[in-house]
Amino acid sequence: MIPLRTALRVMPAAWFAIGVAAFSAWYATLITSPAGYGTAATAAASGALPFIGAFVAGTAAWEGSRLRRGDVWGRPWVRPSWRIALAALFWPAAAGLIAVTAATVTRHLGVAAAAPNAAIVAVMALDVVTYATVGFAIGVLTPPALATPLAASLALLWVAFVPAMYPVWLRHLTGMYRDCCALGEDIAPQALAASIAIDLSFIAAAAVCCAVNASRIARTAIAVAVLAVGALVGVRLASALTFAPVQPREASQLTCSEKDGVQVCLWPEHAAAAEAITGAIAKVRSRWLAAGIEAPAAITEGLGAPTPGTLRVQIIDTSNDGVILAMATSKLPTPVDCGHGTTGAVAYLYLRAWFAAVGGASGPVMQALDAEGDDVNPTVLTVVAQLLGSSPDVTRRWADNAAAMAVRCDDFQPDLRVQP
């Protein structure tokens, strides 16, 4: 390892390490994640990897170029090549790990989250090592004027642009998991394994390319074979996922309580507000029943397929209005994949506002749920006002009709007027 005093004098990775860490910490504050949830906070922190990766790869390439320019790399020194490479890579990798730590700590403090997810942290650390290794290989193999910008650009393209490409699961190969996780979700192990496979193949290929005891043709062939194997494994693992690298969270983590005949199961992050949430849910349920709206006696934050007698709700805002809106949203029909936009989808707006109004949503919230009508249908709040003055039989018939319209895939003119 190069001493810190020497590193501060001659190595860009040491010069700018604090600045990159500060920038990564600031950027992590821009990415949202559920309050209190450690896995989501750690995943959000990985959103800073494009900047960290470009810096680490660029500075590692700079160090590799210095060895190339000085005719140091590949000579028969007493120290083996791997030790020379390790000394050159220590500070770029250390700077990257400091930046990852800064982003993770800042994100966790910002949402008062629990301990970081160790698996995601480990993958981010491996990502940093990968950037450094590949950057160093570019440095010793390409002209000095090209090495640093090429390495930084490739790292940025890999982490920032691949996630924007199709198919959407390609993003899981990069080790950036900012699409994880909602409160009811956990990181999918397939996404972690896919990124690890790709990282290890990159590291191995870079090491092969830097070897000096084999011909260029042999090194190229071996490196391509290693990358092909890593890509095959990574694709097989990641292709089963959607755009988000998630799976349902373990239901055993839920804590259940009962009030006024309704059982409410919440995630640990909502423990402090459990009493208020349970009370709000009980009030919504009693109001729904009085208005003729079906209201199951079991409410859970756990994800999964719809089951009779259970309402699955995702609570983001634990205020009274937040719980009411979450309950209203959970009552909506399960969306269908029509492959195109549907005219019946407008019914969701009317249904959500109706369930929220009956549940006791405040005036400002109801105003936010209003939407313009069309040649047939009045505005959302106009329909809601008419429903509030109608009998349970009328409102039940309207809600059934609106729910049927919402899941139709054919092109038709929705009629959401209240019929007496």
Side-chain angles (χ1 to χ4, degrees):
M1 184 186 76
I2 298 174
L4 177 59
R5 179 180 300 177
T6 304
L8 289 172
R9 183 167 55 85
V10 300
M11 301 184 75
W15 300 344
F16 301 110
I18 301 302
V20 171
F23 181 85
S24 300
W26 167 78
Y27 188 80
T29 65
L30 305 180
I31 306 173
T32 59
S33 62
Y37 189 20
T39 296
T42 310
S46 72
L49 282 177
F51 313 105
I52 298 172
F55 175 77
V56 172
T59 53
W62 176 273
E63 298 306 322
S65 291
R66 291 179 61 201
L67 298 179
R68 176 188 172 100
R69 290 195 307 270
D71 202 22
V72 174
W73 186 253
R75 295 303 178 185
W77 307 111
V78 174
R79 286 195 302 168
S81 297
W82 68 266
R83 289 191 59 185
I84 297 174
L86 186 61
L89 290 178
F90 179 84
W91 287 108
L97 293 175
I98 292 171
V100 165
T101 301
T104 303
V105 170
T106 302
R107 184 67 241 156
H108 278 254
L109 292 177
V111 293
N117 184 290
I120 299 178
V121 171
V123 171
M124 287 196 289
L126 182 60
D127 289 339
V128 169
V129 174
T130 303
Y131 305 141
T133 306
V134 173
F136 179 82
I138 292 174
V140 298
L141 295 172
T142 60
L146 178 64
T148 297
L150 177 62
S153 298
L154 287 178
L156 185 62
L157 288 170
W158 172 247
V159 192
F161 285 85
V162 170
M165 297 170 60
Y166 285 92
V168 293
W169 49 261
L170 284 173
R171 65 189 62 196
H172 309 320
L173 302 177
T174 67
M176 185 174 68
Y177 308 121
R178 60 181 296 170
D179 296 310
C180 167
C181 303
L183 201 55
E185 297 171 337
D186 198 357
I187 187 72
Q190 302 97 305
L192 298 170
S195 181
I196 290 172
I198 292 293
D199 280 348
L200 292 178
S201 69
F202 278 151
I203 293 172
V208 168
C209 289
C210 291
V212 295
N213 55 355
S215 68
R216 181 175 297 180
I217 294 177
R219 285 182 287 162
T220 302
I222 296 173
V224 170
V226 169
L227 289 174
V229 172
L232 178 62
V233 174
V235 167
R236 288 288 297 271
L237 290 166
S239 59
L241 300 172
T242 62
F243 79 95
V246 298
Q247 64 181 14
R249 195 174 176 184
E250 180 57 52
S252 61
Q253 299 179 33
L254 291 165
T255 300
C256 301
S257 60
E258 187 169 339
K259 183 173 183 178
D260 297 336
V262 58
Q263 183 188 62
V264 180
C265 298
L266 303 174
W267 295 116
E269 291 74 19
H270 285 156
E275 184 175 353
I277 293 173
T278 302
I281 288 175
K283 290 180 181 178
V284 171
R285 181 174 180 269
S286 64
R287 290 166 178 163
W288 281 358
L289 292 174
I293 299 174
E294 181 183 354
I299 313 296
T300 179
E301 286 193 289
L303 300 181
T307 53
T310 300
L311 192 63
R312 299 186 180 276
V313 59
Q314 296 186 49
I315 301 173
I316 300 174
D317 178 4
T318 59
S319 67
N320 187 64
D321 277 329
V323 174
I324 293 172
L325 284 177
M327 290 285 287
T329 302
S330 68
K331 277 291 292 178
L332 298 175
T334 302
V336 294
D337 184 10
C338 298
H340 55 79
T342 63
T343 55
V346 68
Y348 284 108
L349 301 177
Y350 290 81
L351 282 168
R352 187 171 186 239
W354 165 236
F355 295 141
V358 175
S362 64
V365 169
M366 292 307 303
Q367 287 296 327
L369 295 177
D370 196 15
E372 293 295 329
D374 51 36
D375 294 340
V376 174
N377 302 295
T379 64
V380 167
L381 289 189
T382 299
V383 171
V384 168
Q386 294 171 352
L387 289 169
L388 289 173
S390 302
S391 67
D393 287 339
V394 171
T395 58
R396 189 180 300 110
R397 189 166 58 249
W398 177 90
D400 291 342
N401 180 55
M405 290 182 186
V407 296
R408 283 178 58 177
C409 288
D410 56 316
D411 189 13
F412 69 103
Q413 172 59 58
D415 187 351
L416 294 160
R417 292 173 295 182
V418 180
Q419 303 295 338

